[in-house]
Amino acid sequence: MSEMRQFRLRIRYGKEGKCAWLSHLELTHALERVVRRSGLPFALTQGFSPHMKMAFGPALPVGVGGAFEVFDVVLSSYVPVDQALESLKACEAPNLPMKECAYVDTASPAASVAFSKSIYEVCLSEPLDRLVIPSVVTVLRKGKERQFETQDFLADEPRLTEDGFTFSLVSKDTGSLRADAFANAVLKASAEDAGSAPQVTAFTRTSLG
């Protein structure tokens, strides 16, 4: 028997408001429920415990929102893009708006590995006069410290905005520098330089590339 043809639908959505505080696992469960409620003909994995064929874009730290996040779902039959988006939007959860979708080749990289660059925007309670970028960011995880050379992970030079600052990071096979760890290190270094630190009022990933 020939293998049934499948279709990979890539959905762009937003992670807004209170949903910014969802863990990555909680987010994946919420998105799976949206797909189930939508009635789209999603494909299942094989084996004793079949589950929906999905792939999710790079995880966000808890507390960081996303303006244009991505996930893939594999469908067992073709559904026109406009119809698929309408079905998803009709079932979207609060603060998880479904924005657009398109089919991608099933042979192309899945959403989980397709995007190596993330752009972030940090809004502050008061503007900074200048940014101080630390050369090394130390991250403590599971009781162990790991140091990251910031220039190895910066895609572009961070820059000031009217409300705060923006920066872009790249992920690597050997590991990734967490956006919240970098932003906190920048604020700490900038505060030492200025004498005081403003509060973060919003922290958002604005795009993936």
Side-chain angles (χ1 to χ4, degrees):
M1 182 182 295
S2 61
E3 185 177 351
M4 183 181 296
R5 188 178 179 192
Q6 297 184 332
F7 306 84
R8 187 194 293 171
L9 186 68
R10 179 159 293 167
I11 299 108
R12 291 189 177 271
Y13 68 99
K15 185 186 179 192
E16 303 170 353
K18 292 182 179 179
C19 282
W21 296 97
L22 292 177
S23 69
H24 187 63
L25 181 60
E26 291 170 330
L27 177 65
T28 60
H29 289 166
L31 293 173
E32 183 175 342
R33 287 194 294 270
V34 171
V35 175
R36 289 186 181 278
R37 290 197 299 263
S38 74
L40 291 176
F42 56 85
L44 294 173
T45 60
Q46 302 298 313
F48 292 105
S49 181
H51 55 273
M52 190 183 300
K53 286 188 175 181
M54 300 181 77
F56 302 90
L60 282 169
V62 174
V64 179
F68 230 47
E69 298 301 293
V70 173
F71 74 96
D72 294 346
V73 60
V74 177
L75 304 183
S76 58
S77 60
Y78 179 81
V79 178
V81 169
D82 290 346
Q83 181 181 331
L85 182 59
E86 183 179 350
S87 298
L88 289 165
K89 289 180 71 68
C91 302
E92 65 189 22
N95 297 312
L96 285 177
M98 303 293 114
K99 296 188 174 183
E100 63 181 39
C101 59
Y103 285 101
V104 295
D105 195 314
T106 54
S108 63
S112 54
V113 294
F115 304 95
S116 60
K117 178 180 176 180
S118 296
I119 301 175
Y120 299 89
E121 183 176 29
V122 180
C123 295
L124 304 172
S125 57
E126 56 186 84
L128 292 169
D129 292 329
R130 72 186 190 102
L131 286 176
V132 178
I133 309 301
S135 59
V136 175
V137 174
T138 302
V139 177
L140 180 65
R141 185 176 182 184
K142 295 181 179 179
K144 296 182 178 180
E145 286 189 350
R146 182 177 177 185
Q147 292 190 326
F148 294 85
E149 297 284 343
T150 54
Q151 290 303 319
D152 291 342
F153 296 92
L154 284 173
D156 303 291
E157 191 68 21
R159 62 180 181 84
L160 288 170
T161 64
E162 289 185 2
D163 300 321
F165 63 97
T166 183
F167 63 94
S168 56
L169 298 175
V170 293
S171 58
K172 299 185 176 183
D173 295 337
T174 54
S176 301
L177 174 56
R178 286 174 58 100
D180 53 347
F182 175 76
N184 289 336
V186 169
L187 283 175
K188 181 179 179 181
S190 300
E192 290 174 351
D193 178 70
S196 62
Q199 298 297 310
V200 175
T201 58
F203 194 167
T204 307
R205 179 160 62 192
T206 57
S207 67
L208 290 165

